Structure formats: C-alpha cells, structure tokens
C-alpha cells in the first residue's frame, strides 16, 4: 500500500514521497519503539513523547534505524506538528504525514488493514498463476512476460557478458557493465533499476533490468528476479546431465565418437575447444547461455559446435567482464572425434600462452611459433635461461648507464644489419660494432653464429 492511498482520509503529506509503500501499521507513543519494529511499517504516533527539539531528532533516528516506511503524526495531543519534527524527517528522508485531530488512528488502521489484506490476496493469486504456468511448462520468455505483466513492469534480463536473455533492451552490453560495476544492488542507472538474479557471483550471473526507478518499490523487482532465478535453476538442473556427459567425454580415451554425439556434435560437425582459467559457469557466460562447460586439467573446458566468429565473441565477453587477467585458449576448427585430443592440447597451450601474457584470448594460430616453446617451459627454467644469458648485460648497463641490451634487441630485429641498427638507434655504425663486441665479450657468445642469435632472441622474448 502507498502513502497516497491515505489521502482520501484527509491526511496531508508534509515531507517525502507519496509513492512510498508500507507493509504494516504500528501505533505507538514510546520515545524509542525500535525493538517492536521490523521494517516497512507506517508508524502512527500521537506525539505524547515530545517535549522539545531533541526528542524529535531521537525519535526519528530510532525509526530510521528500524527502516520504517513513514511516520504519521497526530495533531490531537499538541494541536500541531512541531517544526523540529518536520525538519528531522526531511533531513532523514523519512516521509511525514500530518493526521488532523478529527481523523482517528482507528480509521487509518481499518482502511490499511483491509487494503493490505487485499494486497496479500492479490499476491497469492499472482503466485498461483505463476506456479501454474511453470507446471504447464512455460519457457523463460513466457514466464517473464507473464510475471512482468502481473507486476505492471517492463524490462529485460541480460547475462554478465551482455547477452540478452529475455525481454527488450537497446544496449544490453552497457547494462551488463552497470550490473558488474554497481557498488550494490538494486542500482539505479539511466532511468532503469538493476537487480541481481540468484545468489551466484556476478561474473556468472544474470541481471534483471526494470524500466523506471524501483528503489522505493524494490519488492516488485525482487519478486520478478526470484521468478527468473527459479527458471534459471530449472534450466541448470536440465543441463546438469550435459555437464556430466562432457566431463566423461573429456576424461575418456575410447568410444569418443558416440560420446561426442551425446554432447550434441555429430560426425561431420565442425567444432572448437575453449580452455579457460576460470569457473565453468563463467566460461558458459562467455560462450553463450546454451553452452556447457566442465572442469578438465585445471581449467574449464567447453566444446562449441559451429564456432564461427567465436574468438571475437570471447574477446568481447572478456572486455565486458572487465577482467584483463582472465586467460582463454581457443583451438582451431576441428571435425570428428579423432581431432578432440589434439584440440584439447591446442586450447590448453593457447591458454598457457595467454596466462604468460597476463590474460586475454589466444587462438591456435598464435601458438605455433617460438612463443609456444616459451609459454610451455616452466617459469623457473625461463627465468634461469634469461638470467644466465642476459644477466651480464643487465649488470653492465646498470653500472655504466649504457644500452647494450637495447642495442642487442634492435640488432637482432634488424637481422644483424649494422647500418640499419645504427639508423634505428640514431648512432654511428661504429658505435653499434663496439656495443655488439662488448655483448660478445660479456656473454662469451658469437653473434655471427645463428645458434647464438636464436638463444639471444628467445631470452629477450622470455623476459
């Protein structure tokens, strides 16, 4: 019930919003009734506790701590509403209703109790209709449309990566970012109120976005979000078997063909493997809400039939999530069960390379270079190799403020051309010759030998 529903009784709103809702009525003249309040009430008081300005501040503070919806102050005792009480309510954002002496609290209670009982009956009827729709097999779009219409709201549900799940939204990516970055939920953004769906981490969750400001009617948004969460749980229960089948396929060594078909990939269907250093639920969000992922070899793995522009989709999803450290590897396009093991290795190596780059999406096309050798070598081996080969140069540059290491890097990038290296570094060619001789003297290597050039190149890339 809303405050404005009481206006026909002759009461007057002095401060606050007439659209504020309340769920119960409590009459008191205690100076601190907090222990008897649970939140959401309209508190009616005859102000018998009032003796001065400090009483108003203390009484309003007690109501605010108890999260009441509004205060109704009667004129019968004092013949007026103290100005300090009006100021205290206004400062606290608590709606204050002036109740004339001729309007009894009993009259207000009778009206509100009857109306609130009607609201309860209406809510129960709404719940029965929703439950009946679920029992009859209504899918998510039907259920969302029914519930939103019952509650009198419009909006949409989007995934954390900006995929539109149901409803209508002009820019679901922007809404997903608002959901991920909101300091708390519900959150008002651009005239819409964002609620979380369910209790899972935001990166794996869905956001309910309701048109309009529902911060004062959050119960409506919570009810719709709970309905969507119920349907998502039902969908997840149905996919639990698919996740188990995928896990069995990834662990199997025989009968891969039939197992692959049970995962929805036929003998001639193209598919790709995605390996991600995150939870399976987050990977499913990145690939799409119909995706199924399972843990495998310390990562989350997903098989995607007809992958298309999957790398673009993954990069866009990572960008929306705003987690630059998230590492994903993507295999090439595969066909048939015999290609699965190779695809898993490709995706795993690509993920390792992404991790060595501190996150991002790496495809199989990027791993068949020296970068694969570097990425798959143990970190302590890479560090030892780099330190033994480049350590003398780093020490020399630090002591003499020289540029031996940079000169070596440019020299190799110029394929060993003295003149081109000098031009790029804006130094004389003789300076380049001198520096390269010092590199050879300090390291005991010969830069005219291809093997030593390769060692230096890899050491520079492994830093």
């Amino acid at each position: 019930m809303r405050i404005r529903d009481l206006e026909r009784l002759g009461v007057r709103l002095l401060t606050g919003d007439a659209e504020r809702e309340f769920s119960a009525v409590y009459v008191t003249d205690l100076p601190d009734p907090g222990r008897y309040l649970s939140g959401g009430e309209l508190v009616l008081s005859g102000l018998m506790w009032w003796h001065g300005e400090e009483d108003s501040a203390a009484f309003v503070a007690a109501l605010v701590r108890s999260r009441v919806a509004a205060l109704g102050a009667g004129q019968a005792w004092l013949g007026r509403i103290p100005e300090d009480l009006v100021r205290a309510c206004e400062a606290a954002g608590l709606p204050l209703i002036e109740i004339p002496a001729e309007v009894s609290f009993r009259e207000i209670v009778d009206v509100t109790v009857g109306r609130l009982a009607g609201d309860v009956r209406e809510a129960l009827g709404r719940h029965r209709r929703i439950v009946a729709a679920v029992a009859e097999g209504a899918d998510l779009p039907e259920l969302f449309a029914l519930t939103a219409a019952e509650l009198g709201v419009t909006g949409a549900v989007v995934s954390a990566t900006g995929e539109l799940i149901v409803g209508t939204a002009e820019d679901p990516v922007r809404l997903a970012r608002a959901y991920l970055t909101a300091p708390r939920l519900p959150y008002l953004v651009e005239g819409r109120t964002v609620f979380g769906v369910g209790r899972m981490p935001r990166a794996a969750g869905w956001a309910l976005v309701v048109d309009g400001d529902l911060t004062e009617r959050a119960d409506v948004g919570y009810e719709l979000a709970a309905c969507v969460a119920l349907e998502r749980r039902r969908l997840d229960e149905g996919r639990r078997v698919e996740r188990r089948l995928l896990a069995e396929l990834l662990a199997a060594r025989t009968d891969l063909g039939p197992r692959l078909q049970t995962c929805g990939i036929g003998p001639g269907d193209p598919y790709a493997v995605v390996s991600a250093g995150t939870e399976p639920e987050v990977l499913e969000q990145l690939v799409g809400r119909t995706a199924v992922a399972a843990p495998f070899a310390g990562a989350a793995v997903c098989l995607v039939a007809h992958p298309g522009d999957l790398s673009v989709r993954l990069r866009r999803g990572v960008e929306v999530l705003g987690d630059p450290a998230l590492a994903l590897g993507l295999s090439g396009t595969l066909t048939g069960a015999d290609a699965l093991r190779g695809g898993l290795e490709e995706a795993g190596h690509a993920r390792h390379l992404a991790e060595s780059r501190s996150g991002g999406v790496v495809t199989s096309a990027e791993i068949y270079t020296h970068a694969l050798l570097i990425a798959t070598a143990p970190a302590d081996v890479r560090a030892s190799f780099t330190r033994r080969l480049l350590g003398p140069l780093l020490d020399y540059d630090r002591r003499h403020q020289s540029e031996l290491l940079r000169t070596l890097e440019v020299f190799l990038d110029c394929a060993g051309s003295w003149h081109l290296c000098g031009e790029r570094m804006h130094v004389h060619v003789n300076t380049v010759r001198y520096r390269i001789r010092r590199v050879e003297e300090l390291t005991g290597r010969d830069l005219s030998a291809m093997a030593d050039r390769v060692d230096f190149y890899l050491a520079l890339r492994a830093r």
Side-chain angles (χ1 to χ4, degrees):
M1 188 171 181
R2 296 179 178 84
I3 293 174
R4 62 175 171 80
D5 297 327
L6 300 176
E7 292 176 353
R8 63 186 181 85
L9 297 177
V11 304
R12 184 165 67 99
L13 183 65
L14 299 181
T15 68
D17 183 5
E19 296 300 316
R20 176 73 66 90
E21 293 186 343
F22 60 93
S23 57
V25 180
Y26 182 73
V27 180
T28 183
D29 270 309
L30 293 173
D32 184 355
R35 73 184 71 177
Y36 305 110
L37 300 170
S38 56
E41 299 96 341
L42 166 63
V43 174
L44 302 180
S45 177
L47 307 184
M48 297 181 68
W49 45 263
W50 185 86
H51 301 287
E53 183 172 348
E54 64 280 0
D55 296 327
S56 294
F59 186 74
V60 170
L63 298 186
V64 170
R65 285 195 300 271
S66 299
R67 303 184 305 280
V68 304
L71 168 62
Q75 291 183 329
W77 179 256
L78 298 176
R80 61 187 176 86
I81 305 299
E83 286 297 323
D84 50 81
L85 179 59
V86 177
R87 290 194 299 270
C89 288
E90 191 169 23
L94 181 68
L96 175 61
I97 305 168
E98 179 185 60
I99 303 174
E102 61 270 17
V103 178
S104 70
F105 287 176
R106 176 61 183 271
E107 187 177 359
I108 294 175
V109 170
D110 288 345
V111 169
T112 54
V113 168
R115 177 63 182 272
L116 290 170
D119 290 345
V120 171
R121 287 193 297 271
E122 180 182 345
L124 289 174
R126 180 167 63 247
H127 292 164
R128 281 195 295 270
R129 291 188 290 273
I130 292 170
V131 169
V134 171
E136 292 171 5
D139 59 12
L140 182 57
E142 293 173 321
L143 195 60
F144 182 80
L146 169 64
T147 309
E150 290 276 2
L151 295 170
V153 296
T154 56
V157 176
V158 300
S159 74
T161 56
E163 181 183 5
L164 182 64
I165 306 298
V166 68
T168 56
E170 293 181 0
D171 192 347
V173 169
R174 188 171 74 250
L175 297 175
R177 285 181 175 139
Y179 161 67
L180 289 167
T181 58
R184 58 185 175 277
L185 297 172
Y187 182 67
L188 183 66
V189 55
E190 298 179 4
R192 299 180 179 90
T193 310
V194 181
F195 295 83
V197 174
R199 295 184 178 182
M200 60 184 56
R202 292 194 195 182
W206 288 356
L208 167 66
V209 184
V210 181
D211 297 327
D213 183 356
L214 261 68
T215 53
E216 297 296 336
R217 299 175 57 210
D219 58 313
V220 174
Y222 287 136
E223 185 170 346
L224 182 53
C227 185
V228 175
L230 176 66
E231 181 61 15
R232 179 171 182 179
R233 283 195 296 272
R234 188 172 72 165
L235 294 173
D236 285 344
E237 284 295 325
R239 289 165 58 194
R240 186 169 295 181
V241 174
E242 298 177 61
R243 293 188 179 106
R244 180 174 57 79
L245 291 173
L246 175 59
E248 291 175 355
L249 168 64
L250 297 175
R253 294 294 172 181
T254 59
D255 300 325
L256 296 183
R259 292 177 185 273
L260 197 61
Q261 291 185 55
T262 61
C263 293
I265 299 175
D269 292 342
Y271 67 96
V273 180
V274 184
S275 177
T278 185
E279 298 299 320
E281 294 80 5
V282 176
L283 178 56
E284 290 173 352
Q285 294 270 55
L286 291 165
V287 176
R289 68 186 180 97
T290 59
V292 175
F296 178 75
V301 169
C302 181
L303 305 188
V304 185
H306 305 283
D309 60 350
L310 182 57
S311 63
V312 176
R313 199 187 324 160
L314 293 174
R315 288 189 175 96
R316 184 171 58 241
V318 171
E319 181 184 357
V320 176
L321 285 180
D323 184 1
L326 184 57
L328 293 97
L330 174 61
S331 75
T333 301
L334 313 169
T335 305
D338 293 339
L340 176 60
R341 292 298 153 205
L344 286 169
E345 290 187 9
E346 277 189 0
H349 288 318
R351 175 175 57 81
H352 287 308
L353 181 54
E355 289 171 346
S356 73
R357 296 176 177 176
S358 300
V361 179
V362 173
T363 67
S364 61
E366 301 176 66
I367 66 173
Y368 292 110
T369 67
H370 67 279
L372 175 61
L373 299 177
I374 295 173
T376 54
D380 56 341
V381 173
R382 293 199 306 269
S384 176
F385 175 65
T386 302
R387 185 171 55 253
R388 293 190 60 153
L389 201 57
L390 303 181
L393 307 182
L394 289 167
D395 293 340
Y396 187 90
D397 283 345
R398 187 165 49 248
R399 289 197 308 269
H400 299 279
Q401 302 298 308
S402 56
E403 292 188 298
L404 293 187
L405 194 66
R406 179 167 176 266
T407 302
L408 172 63
E409 190 166 15
V410 175
F411 179 72
L412 293 175
D413 285 343
C414 294
S417 170
W418 309 99
H419 292 282
L420 185 55
C421 180
E423 289 176 3
R424 286 195 185 177
M425 298 191 70
H426 306 290
V427 297
H428 195 274
V429 66
N430 287 339
T431 302
V432 176
R433 292 181 185 276
Y434 168 77
R435 290 177 179 177
I436 294 302
R437 279 198 305 271
R438 291 297 294 147
V439 169
E440 292 175 330
E441 291 169 359
L442 289 167
T443 62
R445 299 296 185 110
D446 180 4
L447 279 164
S448 65
M450 178 59 70
D452 285 344
R453 286 192 185 186
V454 170
D455 284 347
F456 276 122
Y457 181 84
L458 291 176
L460 288 166
R461 294 301 180 273
R463 281 190 300 164

